[in-house]
Amino acid sequence: MTGYVLVLVVLILGGVIATMGDRIGTRVGKARLSLFNLRPKKTAVLVTILTGILISGSTLLLLFLTDRQLRTGLFRLEKIQEQLRTSQREQGQAEAELQAAQQEKQQAELELSAAQTRQTQAQQRLDQINRSLEQSQRRQQQISTQLKQTEQSLDESQRRFQQVNERLQAVSRQEETLRGTLNQLTTERQRLAVELTQAQERLGALEDQRSQLETEIRSLRISQGQLSLALRQGAVAIQAGQILAIRVVNQVTNPTAARQAVDQVLLQANQEVQRLITTVPGRPPGNRNGLVIQITQTEVNRLVERIADGRNYVIRIQSAANYLVGEPKARIYADADLNRAVFPANEVVAAVTVNLTANIDNSLLLERLDFLLTASNFRARQAGVLADPLTGTVGQFSPASVAQFIEDLRQYRGNVDILAVTSRTIYTAGPLSLELVVVQNNQVLLRIGIE
């Protein structure tokens, strides 16, 4: 309706302006007016042209003022066409995306159908699982009943296991002790092998000295009266193999120092031999400043070379034969062993078990302790600890300490293990330093040193 009104207004306005232009042209022609120095006829034509321009301009102005779409279409036509083309392309893409979405929709519908099928199958399996669960619950109740019975049996088994475990720990301790003993025996075997080699070397030297000794024995002249008196009294002063002197040398590397150490131990042995054989019953003491021991220079040199290697050694001087009181000379031989660690600290050397009661006799306790200490002494000697040349033992134990230990032990009751434990590292040179440890149910009740 608006378009029709607009066309009608344009027609009316064109007619009015044309009429006015015609009248203006006529009046200008009649008046013979001249504009811009033009002839009146050309002036009339110019007026007519201006009138036409006015008609066209007023028409366009009216259209622009009254129709916004016309203004937009005239001035923004190219941009609108570009937007139209862009919209068409986007519409094509949207249609392609719509087609892809439709395909995805179809695929989703297929997957939905498959999922529904799987859901149905899962529901069927769930029903089956529920039935199985009910059966499992019934079985669980049965198992719970059996479990209670099993727990009762397990408690009983645990009590038995604890008893067995306690016995196993005791056996383990014995096993560790035996393993330590085995290691010591292995080390002792190696040491004995070395000593055997050394003994074989000494045997060769002794064979060389045999003829010399026989000559020396024949050359010894002891008065018949002195020999008879010594034999009647049974005065064997020195026995074959008796240790006459012991000395420990530590890390000697200088041959001069090694020679001094050997000379000192030989001097100690010479003094011991003088004390034992040069005093004849019924006679005043003889000269104790002379040399009464006999050893070859080869043996002395070999001993010096052996101890000069920087290690720790124990030098022993021993008698080569039996000698009577009054004999002027004594043949000796020297030996050097490594002063090795035989027992580490806190090593169990021996053990005994005692049942302590209120009326236990002290003599029984003393007997068991004597057995323990004797066993410790024997094992130490077997392991390589050198015995004292006078007592023949590897350690001395204080009677007062033993008496105090027995007194303290009487305050306990029941079966106890008495362990002889090394209080420090024990070397070949000794002595054997022990502590007595009382153990009951893996608990230490008493500990005392008896060295």
Side-chain angles (χ1 to χ4, degrees), residues 409-423:
L409 188 63
R410 292 184 61 87
Q411 62 182 312
Y412 299 102
R413 298 292 181 267
N415 288 325
V416 297
D417 294 325
I418 305 178
L419 311 178
V421 181
T422 56
S423 59

Side-chain angles (χ1 to χ4, degrees), residues 17 48 60 70 76 95 106 109 132 135 139 151 170 174 178 201 236 247 257 288 295 315 318 323 329 354 362 364 445:
I17 293 175
T48 302
L60 289 175
L70 179 60
R76 300 183 59 190
E95 290 177 353
Q106 293 176 356
E109 289 176 350
S132 300
Q135 296 175 358
R139 286 198 300 269
E151 287 177 349
Q174 295 177 358
L178 292 175
E201 295 175 358
V236 178
R247 182 179 179 83
R288 295 193 177 185
I295 185 171
I315 303 176
Q318 296 176 267
Y323 292 97
K329 300 289 183 179
V354 179
N362 283 347
L364 177 60
L445 303 180

Side-chain angles (χ1 to χ4, degrees), residues 175-361:
E175 181 184 3
E176 291 178 358
T177 302
L178 292 175
R179 186 180 293 110
T181 303
L182 178 60
N183 293 335
Q184 294 171 0
L185 291 176
T186 302
T187 305
E188 182 68 15
R189 179 181 178 183
Q190 295 173 353
R191 187 184 67 82
L192 291 176
V194 174
E195 290 181 354
L196 177 60
T197 303
Q198 297 173 354
Q200 290 174 348
E201 295 175 358
R202 291 196 300 269
L203 180 60
L206 291 175
E207 290 293 337
D208 296 336
Q209 300 166 10
R210 180 178 178 180
S211 58
Q212 180 182 354
L213 289 174
E214 291 176 352
T215 303
E216 291 177 357
I217 291 173
R218 286 193 299 269
S219 65
L220 293 176
R221 295 293 182 265
I222 304 175
S223 66
Q224 187 65 33
Q226 293 174 347
L227 282 175
S228 298
L229 179 60
L231 290 174
R232 282 195 302 270
Q233 294 179 351
V236 178
I238 302 175
Q239 297 181 353
Q242 179 175 336
I243 297 177
L244 302 173
I246 294 178
R247 182 179 179 83
V248 177
V249 292
N250 297 322
Q251 299 178 351
V252 176
T253 57
N254 189 341
T256 302
R259 174 71 64 177
Q260 292 175 355
V262 171
D263 290 343
Q264 290 175 0
V265 72
L266 290 176
L267 178 60
Q268 181 182 351
N270 188 72
Q271 293 173 351
E272 180 67 12
V273 171
Q274 285 179 337
R275 187 183 68 83
L276 294 175
I277 70 172
T278 60
T279 302
V280 179
R283 290 180 54 186
N287 181 16
R288 295 193 177 185
N289 296 324
L291 185 63
V292 295
I293 59 173
Q294 292 181 327
I295 185 171
T296 66
Q297 190 61 40
T298 302
E299 288 183 277
V300 175
N301 293 338
R302 184 183 296 113
L303 183 61
V304 171
E305 293 176 359
R306 177 169 173 76
I307 67 173
D309 60 358
R311 294 187 289 180
N312 300 333
Y313 284 95
V314 179
I315 303 176
R316 294 180 295 182
I317 307 299
Q318 296 176 267
S319 173
N322 292 336
Y323 292 97
L324 302 177
V325 174
E327 294 194 55
K329 300 289 183 179
R331 175 65 185 170
I332 63 170
Y333 65 89
D335 189 15
D337 291 322
L338 286 174
N339 190 23
R340 58 185 178 84
V342 179
F343 297 112
N346 297 319
E347 171 78 6
V348 178
V349 181
V352 295
T353 301
V354 179
N355 184 16
L356 299 177
T357 60
N359 56 354
I360 189 170
D361 193 354

Side-chain angles (χ1 to χ4, degrees), residues 59-60 81 94 105 145 149 216 242 255 278 313 320 348 372 443:
T59 302
L60 289 175
Q81 289 177 347
K105 178 182 178 182
T145 303
Q149 298 174 354
E216 291 177 357
Q242 179 175 336
T278 60
Y313 284 95
V348 178
L372 176 64
Q443 298 291 329

